[in-house]
Amino acid sequence: MSKRFCALGLMAKAPLVGEVKTRLVPPLTAQEAAALNVCFLRDMAANIKTVSETEAASGLVVYTPSGSESAFDGVLPEGFELLVQRGPSLGDRLCNATDDLLRQGYGAVCLINSDSPTLPQSILIRAIGLLAIDGDRVVLGAAEDGGYYLIGLKHAHRHLFKGIAWSTSDVLADTRQRAIEIDLPVEMLPPWYDVDDEETLNRLCEELFFAPSIDGAYPAPHTRAFVNSIINMEGRQCICPKLSGRMPI
C-alpha cells in the first residue's frame, strides 16, 4: 500500500483480559472490561478508516506488548497495519513511533489514544489539515484530565517527551512548555475525554444513549451495542448508575 500524507496511529494495548481497562473493574468484570476495550478499538479504527477515505491519511495500530499481534485479529478494518511500540516509557514509545512512521515515508503522524470511541471525525480532519500547512508544528488534542488524546508531528522532536510526568494532570502543560523551549509552534484541537474510570464511563453512557449528537460525536456503534447488552442483562444501575432514572433516546 502506498503511503499517504498522514499516519493516524492508535496507541493501544492488546485487548487481553486483566491487562486493559483495569480501572473499570468494578463496575465491570475483567472480561467485560476487555470486551469493551475491543469495542473501543473497533469503533476508533472504523472512525479513522472513514476519515482516511476522504483525507490523505492511513490508519494503523501502534501496539504493545510485542508478540500480541493475534489479539487484534478480526478487530481492525482491512488495510490497517500494526506497528509495535518501542521504549521503556510512554514518551519513548510516542517519539519512537513517530520516528518509525516518518521513516516509512509518511509526511506527518498523529498518535491517538484508543480510549475515546466517540471522538468526532471533524477533530481528526482538523489535525490532518493543520499538519498539511507548510512549516513545522505540533498539534495537540487536549484531554479533559490534563493530558492529551492526540499528538501530531512532522518531525520526531524528542525534547517534547523529556521530563514529562506521565499519567498526571500536568502532561499537556509540560508538553506545551517543551514546545516553547524549542520554538515549536503549537496548534490546539478542541478538548475531548478519555474513558478510563467509572465517572467517564457514565459520561460515555450519557453521550451514547441520551445525547448522541453532542459536538458531532462519533456514534460508536460497537461500543453502544455492547454497553446496551450489559444494561439488558444486568440493569442500568450496574454500568451507569447516575443515569438509572432516565429514559434513553
Side-chain angles (χ1 to χ4, degrees):
M1 182 176 65
S2 61
K3 301 300 180 186
R4 307 190 79 185
F5 168 68
C6 187
L8 300 176
L10 283 173
M11 299 291 292
K13 287 183 179 180
L16 304 174
V17 175
E19 299 295 329
V20 293
K21 295 278 149 259
T22 55
R23 292 173 63 191
L24 291 177
V25 182
L28 303 180
T29 67
Q31 290 77 15
E32 288 171 339
L36 182 65
N37 185 249
V38 169
C39 292
F40 285 5
L41 286 170
R42 288 184 188 276
D43 283 324
M44 295 200 72
N47 192 4
I48 286 173
K49 182 174 176 60
T50 299
V51 169
S52 69
E53 289 170 352
T54 58
E55 303 294 321
S58 298
L60 69 149
V61 167
V62 186
Y63 71 98
T64 189
S66 178
S68 62
E69 297 82 5
S70 62
F72 297 95
D73 290 349
V75 175
L76 305 176
E78 183 178 356
F80 255 62
E81 299 179 358
L82 292 172
L83 175 69
V84 69
Q85 295 182 23
R86 298 189 296 111
S89 73
L90 177 56
D92 291 327
R93 296 193 294 273
L94 289 166
C95 189
N96 290 338
T98 300
D99 189 47
D100 289 345
L101 290 167
L102 292 173
R103 289 177 183 274
Q104 286 186 18
Y106 291 103
V109 174
C110 286
L111 298 177
I112 308 154
N113 81 51
S114 56
D115 301 325
S116 302
T118 59
L119 185 70
Q121 290 182 357
S122 59
I123 289 180
L124 296 173
I125 293 169
R126 175 65 175 159
I128 296 166
L130 287 168
L131 290 167
I133 299 170
D134 288 344
D136 201 7
R137 62 185 48 81
V138 57
V139 177
L140 293 169
E144 294 181 0
D145 61 5
Y148 52 78
Y149 62 82
L150 179 151
I151 183 168
L153 291 164
K154 291 194 275 188
H155 299 279
H157 293 287
R158 196 161 294 274
H159 186 75
L160 284 177
F161 307 100
K162 287 185 176 180
I164 305 294
W166 300 105
S167 301
T168 72
S169 60
D170 297 325
V171 170
L172 179 64
D174 288 349
T175 302
R176 296 183 72 173
Q177 177 59 37
R178 297 295 177 276
I180 290 170
E181 291 166 1
I182 57 174
D183 296 320
L184 183 66
V186 177
E187 296 282 358
M188 296 301 301
L189 300 170
W192 206 253
Y193 71 101
D194 307 337
V195 180
D196 54 16
D197 57 20
E198 188 170 1
E199 180 179 353
T200 47
L201 180 60
N202 270 273
R203 179 170 178 179
L204 176 66
C205 291
E206 168 84 24
E207 196 166 36
L208 292 175
F209 295 103
F210 298 94
S213 61
I214 274 184
D215 296 320
Y218 184 70
H222 295 286
T223 300
R224 191 183 196 279
F226 180 71
V227 171
N228 193 52
S229 71
I230 295 178
I231 290 172
N232 289 337
M233 288 189 298
E234 304 176 29
R236 198 180 303 167
Q237 71 281 357
C238 170
I239 192 168
C240 44
K242 291 182 179 180
L243 308 177
S244 58
R246 298 174 57 183
M247 294 296 294
I249 293 173

